[in-house]
């Protein structure tokens, strides 16, 4: 990736640059799936976290769970979940906007004082499109899109995953994996709002290639 390509992955549609990684171990919990799919989702989260060199734990001492993944059929189901409205302010108008947009996925992040990711909520409405996606592919895609705070347009034109030629198996694109590893370099800040951060990421990618 060129520095400009890296910068584009963290430049939001309003023109601002923001890259943030998790500041604490990830403690995931998954709702609305059977045990087999639960294992797939947690396995994907653990695999991507391992790629980043980041820990996955059973519980967060402050929050209990800090990554919540919800699978459901209709956005209105979120309004029926106890206590979700207390964790996500203005949940009802948010659901209204998602229904109006016919959205099938949405992610919300919470942040530490230094800007690092503190918690994430992942919502997946299993419409006809998502229901056709293999569980392994869907889980890996969401894990990748939650391990960092990417631009809201980062993967609109191209998925972070790629299909293995001749096989119906999706894998993480190598350049995206390299970018995740670079963003978790301990020398770099856990959150950055200066686009010069993309140059520091690029330098780490170049160092790994040489």
């Amino acid at each position: 990736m060129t520095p400009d390509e890296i910068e584009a992955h963290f430049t939001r549609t309003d023109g601002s640059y923001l890259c943030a990684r998790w500041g604490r171990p990830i403690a995931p919990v998954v709702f609305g799936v059977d045990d087999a799919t639960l294992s797939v989702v947690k396995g994907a989260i653990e695999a991507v976290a391992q790629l980043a060199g980041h820990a996955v734990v059973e519980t967060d001492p402050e929050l209990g769970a800090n990554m919540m993944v919800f699978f459901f059929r209709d956005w209105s189901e979120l309004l029926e979940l106890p206590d979700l409205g207390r964790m996500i302010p203005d949940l009802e108008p948010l659901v209204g906007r998602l229904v109006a947009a016919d959205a099938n996925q949405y992610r919300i992040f919470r942040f530490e004082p230094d800007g690092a990711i503190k918690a994430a909520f992942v919502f997946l409405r299993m419409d006809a499109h998502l229901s056709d996606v293999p569980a392994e592919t869907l889980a890996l895609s969401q894990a990748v899109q939650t391990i960092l705070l990417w631009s809201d347009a980062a993967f609109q034109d191209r998925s972070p995953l790629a299909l293995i030629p001749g096989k119906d198996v999706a894998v993480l694109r190598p350049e995206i994996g390299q970018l995740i590893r670079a963003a978790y370099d301990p020398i770099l800040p856990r959150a950055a709002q200066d686009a010069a951060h993309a140059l520091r990421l690029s330098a780490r990618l170049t160092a790994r290639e040489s």
Side-chain angles (χ1 to χ4, degrees):
M1 281 191 182
T2 67
D4 286 346
E5 289 172 330
I6 293 172
E7 183 178 336
H9 279 79
F10 302 104
T11 301
R12 309 188 69 77
T13 49
D14 64 5
S16 63
Y17 182 93
L18 178 56
C19 175
R21 67 184 190 228
W22 282 81
R24 58 178 67 196
I26 299 171
V29 63
V30 185
F31 300 94
V33 296
D34 57 24
D35 289 345
T37 305
L38 171 64
S39 177
V40 169
V41 175
K42 285 196 170 183
I45 294 170
E46 290 169 356
V48 174
Q50 184 178 29
L51 171 71
H54 196 67
V56 175
V57 295
E58 287 296 323
T59 57
D60 178 278
E62 178 188 354
L63 304 173
N66 57 31
M67 180 188 288
M68 299 186 181
V69 184
F70 299 85
F71 290 78
F72 50 90
R73 293 289 180 183
D74 191 277
W75 287 110
S76 62
E77 295 176 40
L78 297 183
L79 302 177
E80 301 169 4
L81 295 176
D83 300 325
L84 187 60
R86 289 193 296 178
M87 291 187 284
I88 301 177
D90 302 319
L91 178 62
E92 190 166 345
L94 171 62
V95 167
R97 292 194 299 272
L98 293 170
V99 170
D102 195 29
N104 60 13
Q105 57 184 289
Y106 193 72
R107 286 170 294 278
I108 299 174
F109 293 86
R110 295 287 180 263
F111 302 95
E112 308 279 9
D114 69 352
I117 298 172
K118 177 179 183 178
F121 300 85
V122 180
F123 302 108
L124 298 170
R125 180 176 69 86
M126 299 304 293
D127 61 1
H129 173 69
L130 286 190
S131 296
D132 285 341
V133 178
E136 294 81 3
T137 301
L138 183 59
L140 181 58
S141 173
Q142 296 303 318
V144 170
Q145 294 182 78
T146 314
I147 195 66
L148 290 172
L149 183 68
W150 305 90
S151 160
D152 50 349
F155 302 116
Q156 283 186 352
D157 298 325
R158 189 180 184 191
S159 169
L161 309 184
L163 286 176
I164 296 177
K167 298 182 180 180
D168 191 20
V169 177
V171 295
L172 180 61
R173 283 168 34 209
E175 66 271 25
I176 298 299
Q178 293 165 2
L179 188 52
I180 290 170
R181 284 196 298 270
Y184 273 82
D185 188 318
I187 296 176
L188 293 181
R190 302 195 304 182
Q193 294 179 292
D194 188 332
H197 176 259
L199 295 175
R200 300 182 70 184
L201 290 173
S202 177
R204 278 150 182 80
L205 295 183
T206 304
R208 285 191 171 91
E209 291 171 359
S210 60

